[in-house]
Amino acid sequence: MRISGWIVGAAAAAMLAVSGSYAWAQDATKIKIGTEGAYPPFNSITADGKLIGFDVDIANALCAQMKAECEFVTQDWDGIIPALQAGKFDAIVASMSITEERKKQVAFTNKYYVTPLAVAALKDSALTETDPASMAGKTVGAQASTTQSIYAEDFYAKAGADVKLYPTQEEAVQDLINGRLDAVISDKFVLVDWLKNAADGACCKLIGDVNGTETEAGIAVRLDDNALREKFNAAIDAIVADGTYKTIQAKYFDFDIY
């Protein structure tokens, strides 16, 4: 069977792109790390273009522990797993919850933090509960392709809520501030940080945790990259044991998230 030269050329180019990234991963001293850059306080980009946040600090600490040179690559959330699979980077450190569905696509390390989902609303909201029945007739926002969007669609929408999904957490929050949403569901720590530290956080309040939604965040690597996963696991254990993890955690939270 003949294959067109364009297809062969494209395939070869793709293989070269992937092999370049694999060369980094196979050289244990060089690792490319993908993150979103739009999920404060875990990962965000400052006005002058600097990548900051808990995920970034943890990744840097892990790289130092592994004595590896790490390069960060920012990637939109909805394409972050395909980009990993395509070889754009070697690991995802972006507050990705470990789920059974994602385990079919990527291999996860052990947890590096644990979070429940929570709901925020405007300060004058009459909402007092986060259960599905309380959301009937409400408009609820969430970031797309996340555990919170899955929960909102599986439970809130079926209970009669109008669920709206957004490319980023920041866009969902902005629509809440502007009165286009009754509530936003997200990781609790993201909402707590926004309400406490953001200039526009004074608009809103935390309604509470969503029962039964506690999940672990892990680092994702390609399914066959067991060696890199185990290097990360060993490094996670090491920074927890030597106190580095607690030092980083204290920059962002006044409570334990591990």
Side-chain angles (χ1 to χ4, degrees), residues 2-156:
R2 294 183 64 190
I3 303 175
S4 74
W6 180 88
I7 293 174
V8 172
M15 289 177 67
L16 284 171
V18 172
S19 67
S21 183
Y22 272 119
W24 263 63
Q26 288 167 356
D27 176 359
T29 65
K30 294 184 178 181
I31 304 169
K32 287 186 178 179
I33 294 177
T35 196
E36 183 186 13
Y39 201 62
F42 292 95
N43 56 80
S44 59
I45 300 173
T46 63
D48 60 357
K50 184 180 179 183
L51 190 61
I52 61 170
F54 179 83
D55 288 331
V56 178
D57 288 354
I58 288 292
N60 279 324
L62 295 175
C63 290
Q65 180 65 38
M66 295 187 288
K67 295 180 172 55
E69 174 189 346
C70 287
E71 174 186 332
F72 287 92
V73 179
T74 55
Q75 170 68 47
D76 289 345
W77 179 256
D78 60 1
I80 205 164
I81 288 179
L84 172 69
Q85 294 169 329
K88 185 174 179 180
F89 34 79
D90 307 303
I92 298 170
V93 186
S95 293
M96 182 171 284
S97 296
I98 301 170
T99 67
E100 293 304 314
E101 188 62 31
R102 286 176 179 154
K103 284 180 181 178
K104 298 174 184 176
Q105 304 175 75
V106 298
F108 282 103
T109 64
N110 299 334
K111 69 170 185 179
Y112 68 98
Y113 76 87
V114 181
T115 181
L117 298 181
V119 171
L122 291 171
K123 277 197 170 173
D124 61 359
S125 172
L127 272 174
T128 59
E129 303 292 338
T130 64
D131 60 292
S134 298
M135 297 298 163
K138 306 296 184 184
T139 303
V140 182
Q143 184 179 8
S145 303
T146 60
T147 52
Q148 50 263 37
S149 69
I150 293 169
Y151 183 92
E153 292 184 306
D154 285 352
F155 294 95
Y156 289 167

Side-chain angles (χ1 to χ4, degrees), residues 221-236:
V221 300
R222 284 179 284 272
L223 284 172
D224 59 353
D225 207 344
N226 292 322
L228 183 58
R229 181 182 62 186
E230 291 311 311
K231 286 180 185 295
F232 273 117
N233 278 335
I236 292 169

Side-chain angles (χ1 to χ4, degrees), residues 161-174:
D162 178 16
V163 173
K164 295 187 180 298
L165 303 183
Y166 297 82
T168 68
Q169 171 71 15
E170 292 168 341
E171 290 171 83
V173 163
Q174 196 58 51

